[in-house]
Amino acid sequence: MIRRNLMKLAAAGMVASTALMGGAALAQDVIKIGSIAPKTGPLAGGAAVTQWPNVELWAKLVNERGGLNVGGTQMMLEVVEYDDKTNPGEHIKLAQRLAEQDKVDFVIAPYGTGFNIAAAPIYGRYGYPVIAVSAITDKMDELTSRYPNLFFTLGTTTAFINGVAEILVEQRDAGVIGNEVAMVNVADAFGIELADIARSRFAEEGFDIVYDKSYPLGTPDLSPVMKGAKDSGAKAFVAWSYPPDSFGLAEQAIIEDLDVSLYYSAVATSFPAFKGAYGNKINNVLGAGGTNVDDPKIAEYRAAHEEKTGKVADYWASANTYAAMQILEQAIEGAGTLDKETVTQYIKDNSFDTVMGDLSFENNVSNTFWSVGQWQDGVFRGVKGSDVEGAVPVRAKEGWAE
């Protein structure tokens, strides 16, 4: 009999750690879970909020209740973690190591759209079911037909843009904004695809993108970007942004006193640290995703997240990331085996009770998701989504004062 306790990274530079919590288990009664995501590099901050705490939470809760029942055998989780350093090539190399050296039974999806797309072939080669959470693309049909083990939960690029477009139209009809929009994007797979589709979608609704600017991931100084947006005179600002730049853009909007009635930035807008950094100045700022914070399941999840990890969950992808792991655990138990092909088919054929509600997949894509949320009186609430409940009305942005 052996006993292993949860091991946290002692330092940011540590490459891998394993976790097996709660109770003793025979070596063969262990399910090895591989998880590769940034601990360093430009996307490390986002993964530290959304990805890694939920891996920790899931493993702790599963093992505290005695592990998973796999065909009548209780099996504990052991998590093998690696830092991909925000480098797709490094991620692919480590994925091969997970499969061939660590021989993990299952994997947790990568962090970021570009990484999920880049890593799909390697995980497909080894047959791992991958429930992609932090991935938004209009190439889902193409990807899932090529990689039948790949699943998506956050909706397509077009669905996200449609949520923003609906709000733009509503606010224009209400006389809050005009036809002019300032739009910027991070120059990676996520931002480029969103911006490309947004250009045509916004034009269909009669909007004129009077400022259109991209910037590299990790750009340290976004003041020129925001100055350009301000000079455009548009009353609507839309940024297809990732965590570092969502913060940087907000900081510059406050410094420049950007005079808009609609302000949207994408990933990380829902982070508690976003409000922590800017307080009530970000009241009525719109962002990607959201949750129904009044849902008892979400409230219970958020409480457990803080208790077990010591960190506050974000208001969007955190719960979705945890839901993806709930799907995996229910599929393993439902299939009653660690056979990857059988578990993959179980995911295709069944619905799952998660913190985000009952989730199921049609052609490997879930149609239940939030697309847009908004900070309202200190809480980030869902305002647009697909097959969700609890959406609240959008409010106009009125300055950047506390």
Side-chain angles (χ1 to χ4, degrees):
M1 303 289 282
I2 62 171
R3 182 186 300 269
R4 295 192 182 100
N5 296 321
L6 176 68
M7 297 174 62
K8 295 182 178 179
L9 289 178
M14 187 176 293
V15 175
S17 66
T18 59
L20 179 59
M21 296 87 64
L26 292 171
Q28 65 269 28
D29 292 343
V30 166
I31 304 171
K32 294 185 75 173
I33 306 291
S35 183
I36 306 170
K39 293 179 182 288
T40 56
L43 294 183
V49 174
T50 295
Q51 185 99 344
W52 293 118
N54 283 290
V55 174
E56 177 185 352
L57 173 65
W58 178 58
K60 280 184 174 181
L61 292 181
V62 167
N63 287 338
E64 283 177 2
R65 67 172 185 261
L68 300 182
N69 184 334
V70 185
T73 300
Q74 289 298 125
M75 305 187 73
M76 306 292 279
L77 299 185
E78 179 180 327
V79 181
V80 182
E81 300 179 359
Y82 289 109
D83 174 14
D84 64 22
K85 304 175 184 177
T86 317
N87 183 319
E90 182 73 8
H91 189 110
I92 292 167
K93 180 179 69 176
L94 291 170
Q96 185 170 351
R97 176 172 178 167
L98 282 179
E100 296 188 356
Q101 296 184 35
D102 300 312
K103 299 189 182 303
V104 299
D105 299 294
F106 298 100
V107 297
I108 293 167
Y111 180 79
T113 299
F115 282 78
N116 275 279
I117 294 173
I122 190 75
Y123 289 125
R125 180 192 308 171
Y126 293 105
Y128 288 111
V130 175
I131 306 166
V133 179
S134 54
I136 301 167
T137 179
D138 272 357
K139 299 176 182 177
M140 289 182 185
D141 289 343
E142 174 188 340
L143 289 165
T144 56
S145 63
R146 187 180 302 173
Y147 310 111
N149 60 305
L150 180 60
F151 301 84
F152 290 94
T153 64
L154 285 192
T156 63
T157 305
T158 297
F160 262 72
I161 291 166
N162 283 343
V164 176
E166 288 175 19
I167 293 172
L168 287 169
V169 170
E170 291 168 1
Q171 296 301 302
R172 182 181 60 189
D173 289 349
V176 175
I177 62 172
N179 287 324
E180 296 77 23
V181 177
M183 186 178 78
V184 303
N185 69 277
V186 60
D188 84 329
F190 169 84
I192 292 169
E193 185 176 352
L194 280 161
D196 283 346
I197 296 172
R199 291 184 187 100
S200 60
R201 183 70 183 87
F202 291 176
E204 288 174 6
E205 297 292 352
F207 289 101
D208 182 15
I209 301 177
V210 294
Y211 181 72
D212 191 347
K213 179 72 173 178
S214 67
Y215 53 86
L217 179 65
T219 298
D221 181 11
L222 289 165
S223 58
V225 174
M226 193 54 65
K227 288 178 185 295
K230 181 177 182 178
D231 290 344
S232 75
K235 293 297 183 180
F237 174 83
V238 174
W240 308 112
S241 52
Y242 258 156
D245 30 300
S246 293
F247 281 81
L249 289 167
E251 180 178 355
Q252 292 303 319
I254 293 167
I255 291 172
E256 294 293 333
D257 194 20
L258 181 68
D259 183 17
V260 293
S261 299
L262 188 152
Y263 182 101
Y264 170 96
S265 54
V267 182
T269 309
S270 65
F271 285 8
F274 193 76
K275 181 178 184 301
Y278 309 115
N280 291 331
K281 293 177 181 179
I282 52 90
N283 200 36
N284 298 341
V285 163
L286 294 156
T291 58
N292 178 3
V293 294
D294 298 322
D295 185 335
K297 283 186 177 181
I298 291 294
E300 182 180 1
Y301 157 76
R302 294 184 64 82
H305 188 287
E306 187 165 6
E307 177 189 351
K308 298 296 182 181
T309 72
K311 299 176 181 177
V312 178
D314 74 44
Y315 287 95
W316 174 40
S318 284
N320 284 280
T321 300
Y322 186 75
M325 297 176 206
Q326 289 183 302
I327 291 170
L328 179 59
E329 74 172 73
Q330 291 172 36
I332 293 169
E333 289 195 318
T337 178
L338 299 185
D339 179 74
K340 294 188 285 292
E341 183 177 353
T342 303
V343 171
T344 299
Q345 191 61 46
Y346 192 94
I347 297 172
K348 293 174 183 284
D349 295 341
N350 292 273
S351 62
F352 303 89
D353 180 16
T354 78
V355 296
M356 293 301 295
D358 291 332
L359 299 182
S360 60
F361 297 91
E362 181 178 351
N363 298 324
N364 287 31
V365 177
S366 169
N367 292 311
T368 300
F369 55 85
W370 289 95
S371 57
V372 187
Q374 185 175 46
W375 283 101
Q376 296 185 358
D377 303 323
V379 178
F380 192 79
R381 296 180 175 273
V383 297
K384 293 289 181 182
S386 169
D387 191 30
V388 291
E389 297 180 353
V392 300
V394 173
R395 300 177 183 176
K397 183 84 178 101
E398 298 178 352
W400 297 93
E402 285 282 358

